[in-house]
Amino acid sequence: MLSGIKHLWQRNKFLLLAFVFAAIATVFFATRMIVLGIYWADPDHQNQPLEGWMTPRYVAYSYGLEPDEFELVLGIDPTAVSRVHLRDLLKEQGLTLSELQTRLDALVAARVGE
Amino acid sequence: MTDLLLSLVVDYGAALLFAVTFLSCLAIPMPSSLMMLAGGGFVASGDLALATAAGAAFLGAVTGDQTGFLIGRRAGLWLERKMTAQPKRAALHGKAIELTNRYGGPGVFLSRWLISPLGPYVNFAGGATGLNWARFTVWGAMGEAVWVIVYVGLGYTFADRIVELADILGNASGFLAAGAVTIGLGLWMRNAMRQAKEDRGEV
C-alpha cells in the first residue's frame, strides 16, 4: 500500500493531490453540515428575527399571526399588500426593525400567556 | 448579501428564478438553492404563486441544461475531428461514447439534484462525449423536476427558516459532491496502483 502510494506520487502527483484535496473538502462540508444541523435543531434558535427583505405576509405567516393581529402591530392588513419589503413599510411609518420586533415579541408573549 | 438576494426574489419573483436556475446549469456560480427555498417560502406566505415559481425554476434549469449540452456538443465535435485522425485515439473516443451512453442517463439524473454541484460539468461532458440527446433530455428533466420539488417544497415547509436551511443544504450538497469526487479519484488511484504493480511484474 505504502509503496503503491510512493510510486503514485512519483508517477502521478496530480491524481494523489486531487484525491487528498477532495477528501479534505468532503470532511470540511460534512463537519459544517453537522454543526449547522445541530444549531438548527436547537429549539432556542428557532425564532427568526425580522429582516428588511421580509414581506408583511411572510412575517404574518412565519409568526403564525392572523391578518388582524398583524394589523394591530404594523397598522396594515398583510393580505392587502403583496411583495412589499418590510424596510420600505417601516420607513413610511418612521419605525425601526427593532421597534417592530419588540411589538411582535410582546404580542407573541401575550398569546402564549393566554 | 443574503438580504439583497432575498429582496430580489420578492421584487422579481419567477423571472429571477428562471434566470438563476438557467445560469447555474452553465457552471456560473449562483445562489440557486437559497433562491428556490425563498421562492417556496414566499409561496407559503402567499406572495408568489406556486405554479409560476416552480414552473419558472424548472424551465430555467431545463433550458440551461440544453444550452450546456449544446456547448459541450460543439466542443466535442471539434475534439472528435482531432481524435479520429489517429486509430488509437479513435478507439479511446469510441470507448468514451459507449461508457457515457451506458451509464450517462442515471448520472445525469443524480447530478441534477443529489450531487448538483457536478451538474453543469455533466452537461458539458454529456454533450462532448456524444450522449444521446433524447436520453439526456428525459433523465435531465426528471432530475430537474426532483430538484425543484425538493427545494421549493422544503422552502414551503420551513418557510420561516429559509436562510439557515439554505446554509445546511449548501454544505450537504457540497459534502455529497466532494464525496462522489473523492470516491471517483480513489477508484482511479486504486487502478493506477494495480496497473503499476502489474507493470513491475508483482502480480
Side-chain angles (χ1 to χ4, degrees):
Chain A
M1 180 76 185
L2 258 179
S3 72
I5 290 173
K6 207 171 149 192
H7 192 76
L8 200 63
W9 177 249
Q10 284 159 356
R11 291 255 305 253
N12 200 342
K13 277 190 184 65
F14 174 76
L15 179 56
L16 197 63
L17 284 173
F19 175 78
V20 171
F21 180 76
I24 291 170
T26 308
V27 174
F28 170 79
F29 285 123
T31 314
R32 273 185 60 86
M33 179 181 76
I34 291 164
V35 169
L36 291 167
I38 290 170
Y39 184 88
W40 156 278
D42 187 339
D44 284 349
H45 300 136
Q46 284 179 1
N47 273 331
Q48 188 174 231
L50 294 177
E51 302 266 1
W53 56 264
M54 294 177 178
T55 66
R57 288 181 187 210
Y58 183 87
V59 175
Y61 180 83
S62 61
Y63 279 77
L65 301 175
E66 295 297 327
D68 56 329
E69 287 180 297
F70 185 87
E71 204 169 347
L72 281 178
V73 179
L74 195 64
I76 79 168
D77 177 2
T79 55
V81 285
S82 173
R83 294 168 67 175
V84 186
H85 298 294
L86 213 50
R87 74 167 80 80
D88 298 332
L89 284 172
L90 289 171
K91 209 180 276 170
E92 276 174 24
Q93 307 212 0
L95 276 170
T96 65
L97 267 178
S98 62
E99 281 167 339
L100 183 65
Q101 184 78 62
T102 312
R103 289 190 195 179
L104 258 182
D105 291 343
L107 184 74
V108 172
R111 288 172 102 205
V112 173
E114 272 171 20
Chain B
M1 185 63 182
T2 309
D3 189 273
L4 173 71
L5 295 174
L6 295 170
S7 301
L8 289 173
V9 179
V10 176
D11 291 339
Y12 299 102
L16 183 79
L17 292 176
F18 179 91
V20 166
T21 52
F22 176 84
L23 293 173
S24 77
C25 294
L26 297 170
I28 297 162
M30 282 284 141
S32 47
S33 303
L34 174 68
M35 299 294 212
M36 284 208 292
L37 288 170
F42 290 124
V43 168
S45 68
D47 285 293
L48 295 179
L50 175 64
T52 44
F58 177 74
L59 282 179
V62 170
T63 322
D65 285 345
Q66 292 293 327
T67 311
F69 186 83
L70 271 178
I71 294 170
R73 175 69 34 113
R74 283 276 167 87
L77 288 175
W78 174 82
L79 199 68
E80 195 180 337
R81 277 198 294 275
K82 297 243 159 197
M83 296 280 274
T84 44
Q86 287 177 320
K88 232 184 174 178
R89 285 187 174 179
L92 198 68
H93 188 253
K95 180 95 182 147
I97 291 173
E98 186 201 316
L99 272 177
T100 312
N101 273 305
R102 191 182 302 163
Y103 302 110
V108 168
F109 177 72
L110 291 176
S111 63
R112 299 307 95 180
W113 59 282
L114 189 63
I115 41 173
S116 55
L118 302 182
Y121 308 102
V122 172
N123 294 342
F124 297 140
T129 51
L131 175 64
N132 179 281
W133 175 76
R135 187 174 295 173
F136 172 82
T137 304
V138 171
W139 284 100
M142 284 195 304
E144 296 298 10
V146 173
W147 189 50
V148 171
I149 290 168
V150 166
Y151 275 83
V152 174
L154 283 172
Y156 186 93
T157 313
F158 300 104
D160 51 346
R161 301 187 73 194
I162 45 181
V163 179
E164 292 167 13
L165 189 60
D167 222 2
I168 297 174
L169 290 174
N171 282 287
S173 73
F175 162 66
L176 289 169
V181 170
T182 309
I183 291 170
L185 289 171
L187 291 173
W188 186 357
M189 262 171 54
R190 197 181 67 173
N191 282 342
M193 286 200 268
R194 251 188 213 161
Q195 191 65 46
K197 239 182 190 178
E198 277 170 26
D199 291 350
R200 290 199 301 269
E202 287 175 21
V203 177

